[in-house]
Amino acid sequence: KKMKEKNIHGRIFKKLREERGYKLKEVAGDVISTRTLTRFEADETSLSIATFEKLLKNCDLDSFDYLIYYVENTEIETMEFSKRMKSYIESGSSAEIVNECMKELKKSDIKFSERLDVLNFMQLIEWKGSSELFDENKRIIKEKIESTSKLGWSEIYGFIHLINSASSEDYSVEYIDKVIEDCLQNIPIRNALSKNLGVAYCDLLVVSLSFLSRNGYYKLVENRCKQTLNIFNEQPFLLDKTKYSIDVIEILAMVYLCQNKKEGVELANKVLKYRNTLAESINNPLYKQKKDISYEKFCEVNKTGIDFEF
């Protein structure tokens, strides 16, 4: 297999090599010629993954080291657009965000990661307008994600945005259940990389369970929620385990309350008590807002006639 995004990897590898003080000849070794390495670093050619791993070894690095460095440096390259967008968000300039995102989508050389950025910012401002550009962007992202067997971080979060606003017409219950199964298999912690990737899969899992819940697949979502909580309990090193457990318990509570089951009140009280304690201990209005939203959602679907206590 050849490395993708050759226009990024060569440049970043050169920066990494020079920062570590290695000369071209030292790194090329007996793996490739210095001329080929020079061409790679100039983004004029690509290398096989096996060859690239040998070059990393000659720099006393492994693939994980490079991945961390790669993510940090590619983020720097896209920071200008993100900084501009964040400043607009802070100032409440939704119109500016829409205009900037439209400009990005009109570029002939737009990368998939930039398409995901646009989707992310449009979701953040909860834009309800209509645009063929944005619809086309969502379609391209949806098709790319559905054809990819192993998702990366940005793809997972792009997928989260798609599912979060999707209806049963966009995705079948069988497809979402398959996504949940993939999440459950990718959450377990195996190494430092999977520890961080596990968090992304937890976020995807929560929106997928919510999809099933709001579309009325109560029995399926109940079974999947219980299965998820069992897996969480078996993962002592899962980041934000308590937060994700509460999110899943909240979905399960909603499912029970919709069906007039008293267990829903018990679970809702647990969620509200946790969110209330968090809001009181951390001076951040977002936590209080989240507790209030949870309370309102529970009240809307509560068919038991029993009041919540927290």
Side-chain angles (χ1 to χ4, degrees), residues 123-188:
Q123 290 282 341
L124 278 174
I125 63 171
E126 297 181 352
W127 191 68
K128 304 296 183 188
S130 177
S131 163
E132 286 185 13
L133 270 175
F134 293 134
D135 290 343
E136 175 73 358
N137 190 49
K138 285 178 75 171
R139 185 190 63 75
I140 290 170
I141 291 171
K142 187 173 183 284
E143 287 180 359
K144 170 76 162 58
I145 286 172
E146 288 176 353
S147 66
T148 304
S149 57
K150 191 71 174 175
L151 301 176
W153 267 290
S154 56
E155 291 164 332
I156 289 174
Y157 284 105
F159 199 13
I160 286 168
H161 289 315
L162 292 176
I163 292 177
N164 211 20
S165 59
S167 69
S168 55
E169 292 178 2
D170 298 306
Y171 296 105
S172 68
V173 59
E174 292 82 11
Y175 181 77
I176 294 297
D177 195 45
K178 181 182 177 300
V179 171
I180 290 171
E181 186 61 40
D182 289 342
C183 290
L184 293 174
Q185 289 179 11
N186 283 287
I187 284 170

Side-chain angles (χ1 to χ4, degrees), residues 2 70 79 118 141 173 184 211 227 244 264 271 290:
K2 292 279 186 181
Y70 172 81
M79 203 174 287
V118 168
I141 291 171
V173 59
L184 293 174
F211 176 94
Q227 187 182 3
Y244 288 116
V271 171
K290 189 150 189 177

Side-chain angles (χ1 to χ4, degrees), residues 39-271:
R39 289 187 63 222
F40 170 67
E41 291 185 347
D43 304 322
E44 293 172 1
T45 189
S46 59
L47 301 174
S48 70
I49 292 173
T51 298
F52 187 67
E53 285 177 344
K54 289 176 183 175
L55 296 179
L56 287 174
K57 193 173 180 181
N58 287 348
C59 290
D60 293 320
L61 294 169
D62 60 23
S63 301
F64 183 68
D65 292 319
Y66 175 74
L67 177 64
I68 297 297
Y69 188 86
Y70 172 81
V71 170
E72 288 174 350
N73 283 272
T74 49
E75 281 180 354
I76 288 169
E77 294 190 2
T78 59
M79 203 174 287
E80 200 55 46
F81 175 68
S82 296
K83 276 169 67 177
R84 215 161 53 243
M85 292 297 100
K86 284 170 186 172
S87 70
Y88 292 145
I89 288 171
E90 287 166 7
S91 63
S93 305
S94 295
E96 293 287 357
I97 292 169
V98 173
N99 289 336
E100 287 278 353
C101 287
M102 282 185 168
K103 284 181 191 173
E104 282 293 304
L105 292 177
K106 286 175 182 176
K107 290 180 179 176
S108 59
D109 59 345
I110 184 170
K111 298 185 180 71
F112 185 69
S113 59
E114 290 161 351
R115 289 188 176 280
L116 290 168
D117 284 340
V118 168
L119 178 65
N120 178 36
F121 288 117
M122 296 309 293
Q123 290 282 341
L124 278 174
I125 63 171
E126 297 181 352
W127 191 68
K128 304 296 183 188
S130 177
S131 163
E132 286 185 13
L133 270 175
F134 293 134
D135 290 343
E136 175 73 358
N137 190 49
K138 285 178 75 171
R139 185 190 63 75
I140 290 170
I141 291 171
K142 187 173 183 284
E143 287 180 359
K144 170 76 162 58
I145 286 172
E146 288 176 353
S147 66
T148 304
S149 57
K150 191 71 174 175
L151 301 176
W153 267 290
S154 56
E155 291 164 332
I156 289 174
Y157 284 105
F159 199 13
I160 286 168
H161 289 315
L162 292 176
I163 292 177
N164 211 20
S165 59
S167 69
S168 55
E169 292 178 2
D170 298 306
Y171 296 105
S172 68
V173 59
E174 292 82 11
Y175 181 77
I176 294 297
D177 195 45
K178 181 182 177 300
V179 171
I180 290 171
E181 186 61 40
D182 289 342
C183 290
L184 293 174
Q185 289 179 11
N186 283 287
I187 284 170
I189 308 303
R190 294 176 295 278
N191 51 47
L193 182 59
S194 71
K195 188 174 184 177
N196 290 292
L197 198 57
V199 170
Y201 275 107
C202 282
D203 287 327
L204 179 57
L205 176 60
V206 168
V207 298
S208 299
L209 291 170
S210 295
F211 176 94
L212 294 181
S213 175
R214 71 174 180 267
N215 284 291
Y217 299 105
Y218 296 142
K219 189 62 183 172
L220 177 58
V221 74
E222 179 184 346
N223 291 338
R224 285 304 198 182
C225 282
K226 288 177 179 178
Q227 187 182 3
T228 298
L229 292 171
N230 286 335
I231 288 176
F232 283 172
N233 288 334
E234 294 166 1
Q235 298 298 314
F237 302 113
L238 181 66
L239 296 173
D240 294 330
K241 182 167 81 167
T242 303
K243 171 201 170 299
Y244 288 116
S245 296
I246 291 295
D247 287 344
V248 174
I249 291 169
E250 180 168 345
I251 294 167
L252 191 55
M254 294 281 288
V255 167
Y256 286 152
L257 291 171
C258 286
Q259 299 176 88
N260 192 18
K261 293 183 178 180
K262 285 189 285 187
E263 304 102 292
V265 177
E266 295 168 19
L267 292 179
N269 285 337
K270 185 175 181 178
V271 171

